[in-house]
Amino acid sequence: MAALASQTDIEARLGRALTTAEEDRVEAVLDDASAIVRNYTRQDFGQQESTQILRIINGRVRLPQRPVLSVSAVGIVDPWGQSPPAQVPYMFDGIDSINLTGGDVLLNAPEWWADLDAAATTAEVTWTHGYATTPGDVVAVVCGMVIRQLLVPQQPGVRSEQAGGESISYADALMTGTVTLTRDDRRILNRYRTRAATVQLPW
């Protein structure tokens, strides 16, 4: 999966070209930072099509990957694993929720659907989602994470450096060489964060 920011983005924020040593590391650190942001927000950000089995709660399915561009298929999952997902009519609210409680859904559902409690079943949904370009605040967070790593000395455990009478101290998180989110980073990313909604079936 592509990084959420680029070397050009990093250089624009630094106001200079990367050094040779920084260029050797930037791709890996960009990948690390992007993975951490995706893990925290549970969002892929890039435009793509996904098919997932999601829980039905109160007759609705909430799509976890956003923004939702379109929904192409919704199938009720057979909990006994004896039939493929049965395609059913649905109502998409245009944001992130699919309604399966309409009369057409029940009328056209497979026979085994009548034996189930609708609130306890799952649906397989195929939908297209994501951004044409990564949102600017997400790029900014990733760049900040990367720059913090590129500028820290490559000696784990170093707390400070002195040069020409000047002293620079480093935060504890940076001393380990680990790419991390700050509290401010999390605050910025919280608007994208979603609850996990995928369920693992037992068969």
Side-chain angles (χ1 to χ4, degrees), residues 67 90 165:
Y90 59 88

Side-chain angles (χ1 to χ4, degrees), residues 67-184:
V68 178
L69 304 178
S70 64
V71 178
S72 56
V74 178
I76 303 302
V77 174
D78 177 359
W80 299 287
Q82 298 175 355
S83 305
Q87 299 300 303
V88 294
Y90 59 88
M91 293 178 287
F92 173 49
D93 69 355
I95 303 175
D96 63 3
S97 181
I98 295 173
N99 187 345
L100 297 174
T101 59
D104 288 342
V105 174
L106 298 178
L107 183 63
N108 293 282
E111 292 183 4
W112 50 260
W113 173 253
D115 298 328
L116 299 176
D117 176 0
T121 57
T122 54
E124 182 181 86
V125 183
T126 299
W127 78 106
T128 302
H129 55 84
Y131 299 86
T133 58
T134 305
D137 51 356
V138 175
V139 174
V141 167
V142 171
C143 287
M145 297 168 69
V146 172
I147 289 171
R148 289 195 295 271
Q149 283 304 307
L150 293 181
L151 298 185
V152 75
Q154 293 306 292
Q155 298 178 24
V158 173
R159 288 183 175 273
S160 63
E161 287 187 312
Q162 286 188 332
E166 298 292 331
S167 177
I168 302 175
S169 298
Y170 301 99
D172 289 343
L174 294 180
M175 292 190 305
T176 64
T178 303
V179 182
T180 59
L181 288 168
T182 66
R183 181 179 300 177
D184 285 340

